[in-house]
């Protein structure tokens, strides 16, 4: 029985080490960053270990050598006489508040400053927040004789979760005034490191720091957060064996399922895959292959961006959707394109790279994200926020496994009846196709389902142990035309020698009445 402590929700390095939680050693990254002395920015999805890494940096610069015993950095620092010196550290944590209320950002900044003013014996007087911070940096350097370290965790939360554009502009202005210190007082600074989910292209925290090194897409730092395959097998061997035993599978099958569910994140075009650490350790703790990262909730700002974009879900039928590098690294609040935000928040990841155009191919990293993302999209395309939800995947799958074509017809009729009916014909067409795409992709979690957009292949093919379904969907034509296309184009020929029962289904959707008005089984 595995009794090791797994760090679920533990973001404090000192607590993790002193209370003997399992730790994946990332201290070589700490060493390489700290020795360069440059200011850095790192973007990673939520719950990916950014806060823990920043806490590790904090302990390193506070000279807490005892916490790093047996870790890689202890060996790297062995011959350096200047190692493990204590520096004044200013650690800003923007995770801890709700930013929709007025002056929430100022309150968070004030609480940080008050703590340090007590520590260094500084009178705040009637200075502005920026002036108080500048005064603290100078005082800390004079008191300790060493330059200061500034660590900023989740800088973008006060910008992403503000609720309206007016408060967003207010918080951007607060940041502009406050963090101008990082540029004008550069001679007092030893090291600067900022983390966030997104990089706002017009926030002065970046434009003011001309030398800020964004390492979010650097190959050398692709494994700085998350868990690589070698780290998984080296650090979690007893947990892997225990999970395999609980699931009644062997070790290799267990590793394969872990990879399918939680691996596949790439933060440079030529990097190895990285596992989501939050999902991984939850899977080990609960001994189930669950959707743990998705259970923490889809960020509100992402849903709002989705609603405003008329997002085409079927764009991701393969790994051939490309975005330019600049789109992935800089987020423009006024942009209606949600794809860069989906990448930065972890719903899409890098699958390939076109060197000629410096563009990245994007796709779902793994099954947890793929099916969780599709389930989160379903309510917006199916207008199914309220019960009863017509997309009952379990019943849909059971009908397909039984060959119940009448039941399948009734479910599609109910789904298509939910499609929004705007005046824009293009939106009707887009939503019609997205309903088909989302349904079959979700069915693909339990059956072999394929969705095709090429005219040379059927719209959808679903395979079970006993049946092969070939679907062709038409809009404002006839079901007979759809079925004839299956036969004329020979979509069924690859299954001519298949022993399973072949079912060909032609479907027509009447956009004016928003209903399935034709369903022919051949």
């Amino acid at each position: 029985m595995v009794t090791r402590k797994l760090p679920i929700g533990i973001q404090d390095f000192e607590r993790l080490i002193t209370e003997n939680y399992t730790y994946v050693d990332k201290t070589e990254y700490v060493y390489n960053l700290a020795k360069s002395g440059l200011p850095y920015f790192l973007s990673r999805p939520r719950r990916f270990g950014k806060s823990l890494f920043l806490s590790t940096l904090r302990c390193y610069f506070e000279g807490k050598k005892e916490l790093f015993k047996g870790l890689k950095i202890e060996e790297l620092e062995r011959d350096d006489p200047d190692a493990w010196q204590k520096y004044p550290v200013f650690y800003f944590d923007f995770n801890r508040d709700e930013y929709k209320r007025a002056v929430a950002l100022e309150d968070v900044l004030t609480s940080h400053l008050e703590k340090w003013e007590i520590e260094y014996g500084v009178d705040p007087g009637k200075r502005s927040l920026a002036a108080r911070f500048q005064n603290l940096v100078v005082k800390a350097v004079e008191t300790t004789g060493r330059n200061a370290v500034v660590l900023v965790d989740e800088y973008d939360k006060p910008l992403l979760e503000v609720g309206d554009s007016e408060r967003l502009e207010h918080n951007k202005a607060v940041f502009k005034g406050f963090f101008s210190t990082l540029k004008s007082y550069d001679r007092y600074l030893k090291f600067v490191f900022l983390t966030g989910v997104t990089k706002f292209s017009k926030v002065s925290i970046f434009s003011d720091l001309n030398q800020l090194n964004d390492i979010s897409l650097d190959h050398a730092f692709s494994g700085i957060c998350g868990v690589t395959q070698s780290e998984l097998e080296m650090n979690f061997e007893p947990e892997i064996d225990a999970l395999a035993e609980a699931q009644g599978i062997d070790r290799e099958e267990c590793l394969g399922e872990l990879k399918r569910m939680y691996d596949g994140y790439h933060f440079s075009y030529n990097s190895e895959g990285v596992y989501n650490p939050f999902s991984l350790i939850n899977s080990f703790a609960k001994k189930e292959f669950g959707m743990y990262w998705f259970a923490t909730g889809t960020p509100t700002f992402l849903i709002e961006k989705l609603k405003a974009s008329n997002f085409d879900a079927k764009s991701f039928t393969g790994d051939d959707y490309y975005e330019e590098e600049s789109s992935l690294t800089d987020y423009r609040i006024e942009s209606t394109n949600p794809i860069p935000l989906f990448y930065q928040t972890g719903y899409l990841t890098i699958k390939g790279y076109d060197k000629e155009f410096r563009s990245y191919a994007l796709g779902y990293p793994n099954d947890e994200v793929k099916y969780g993302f599709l389930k989160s999209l379903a309510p917006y395309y199916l207008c199914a926020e309220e019960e009863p939800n017509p997309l009952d995947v379990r019943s849909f799958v059971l009908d397909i496994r039984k060959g119940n074509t009448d039941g399948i017809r009734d479910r599609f009729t109910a789904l298509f009846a939910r499609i929004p009916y705007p005046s824009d014909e293009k939106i009707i067409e887009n939503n019609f196709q997205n309903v088909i795409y989302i349904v079959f992709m979700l069915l693909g979690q339990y059956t072999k389902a394929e969705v095709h957009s090429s005219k040379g292949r059927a719209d959808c093919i679903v395979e079970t142990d006993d049946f092969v379904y070939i679907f062709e969907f038409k809009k404002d034509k006839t079901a007979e035309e759809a079925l004839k296309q299956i036969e004329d184009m020979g979509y069924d020929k690859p299954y001519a020698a298949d022993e399973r029962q072949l079912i060909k289904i032609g479907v027509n959707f009447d956009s004016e009445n928003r209903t399935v008005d034709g369903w022919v089984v051949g």
Side-chain angles (χ1 to χ4, degrees), residues 448-452 457-458 460-464 467-471 486 490-504:
K448 183 180 178 182
E450 301 178 59
V451 185
H452 305 292
R457 305 183 73 177
C460 302
I461 297 175
V462 180
E463 298 181 39
T464 71
F467 302 97
V468 176
Y469 295 85
I470 301 179
F471 290 88
I486 294 175
Y491 296 152
D492 55 341
K493 287 183 179 179
Y495 303 94
D498 201 299
E499 295 181 354
R500 293 171 294 181
Q501 181 180 344
L502 181 64
I503 301 176
K504 296 173 284 186

Side-chain angles (χ1 to χ4, degrees), residues 287-513:
K287 297 183 176 61
E288 294 283 351
F289 298 108
M291 293 188 175
Y292 303 106
W293 184 71
F294 241 93
T296 62
T298 304
T300 303
F301 70 86
L302 194 63
I303 296 300
E304 293 304 317
K305 178 67 72 173
L306 176 67
K307 288 180 178 179
S309 68
N310 190 30
F311 174 65
D312 186 1
K314 63 185 183 299
S315 300
F316 299 102
T317 54
D319 300 330
D320 54 357
Y321 191 98
Y322 283 84
E323 281 285 339
E324 294 183 359
E325 182 175 325
S326 59
S327 296
L328 296 188
T329 55
D330 292 338
Y331 173 60
R332 299 180 183 276
I333 193 70
E334 68 276 9
S335 173
T336 58
N337 179 12
I339 305 305
L341 201 55
F342 288 161
Y343 165 75
Q344 293 176 358
T345 50
Y347 294 84
L348 300 173
T349 197
I350 296 170
K351 293 290 188 176
Y353 186 66
D354 186 321
K355 290 185 178 181
E356 180 180 1
F357 296 100
R358 295 183 64 84
S359 296
Y360 291 88
L362 303 177
Y364 302 116
N366 51 51
D367 278 5
E368 179 191 23
V369 174
K370 176 181 177 180
Y371 294 116
F373 185 59
L374 290 168
K375 286 177 182 176
S376 72
L377 289 180
Y380 303 103
Y381 289 108
L382 309 180
C383 296
E385 290 91 344
E386 299 178 357
E387 297 294 340
N389 185 350
L391 185 52
D392 179 354
V393 174
R394 179 180 181 276
S395 297
F396 223 132
V397 170
L398 291 177
D399 281 342
I400 286 174
R401 288 176 180 172
K402 294 174 184 177
N404 181 9
T405 57
D406 288 343
I408 299 169
R409 178 200 60 210
D410 293 342
R411 296 187 190 285
F412 268 113
T413 300
L415 287 170
F416 288 142
R418 297 282 188 120
I419 294 177
Y421 192 52
S423 57
D424 190 330
E425 180 67 23
K426 183 177 180 181
I427 295 178
I428 296 175
E429 175 75 17
N430 186 48
N431 287 358
F432 167 67
Q433 293 174 354
N434 275 316
V435 167
I436 298 170
Y437 170 75
I438 291 171
V439 169
F440 281 98
M441 292 299 284
L442 287 175
L443 295 180
Q445 188 174 5
Y446 307 98
T447 63
K448 183 180 178 182
E450 301 178 59
V451 185
H452 305 292
S453 57
S454 169
K455 292 300 181 184
R457 305 183 73 177
D459 284 337
C460 302
I461 297 175
V462 180
E463 298 181 39
T464 71
D465 292 340
D466 301 313
F467 302 97
V468 176
Y469 295 85
I470 301 179
F471 290 88
E472 186 68 28
F473 293 89
K474 297 294 183 182
K475 184 174 75 70
D476 298 330
K477 294 183 179 180
T478 68
E480 287 74 17
E481 287 180 79
L483 183 61
K484 187 174 185 297
Q485 181 171 324
I486 294 175
E487 295 169 344
D488 290 349
M489 299 298 292
Y491 296 152
D492 55 341
K493 287 183 179 179
Y495 303 94
D498 201 299
E499 295 181 354
R500 293 171 294 181
Q501 181 180 344
L502 181 64
I503 301 176
K504 296 173 284 186
I505 301 178
V507 185
N508 184 65
F509 169 67
D510 182 339
S511 64
E512 183 176 352
N513 296 305

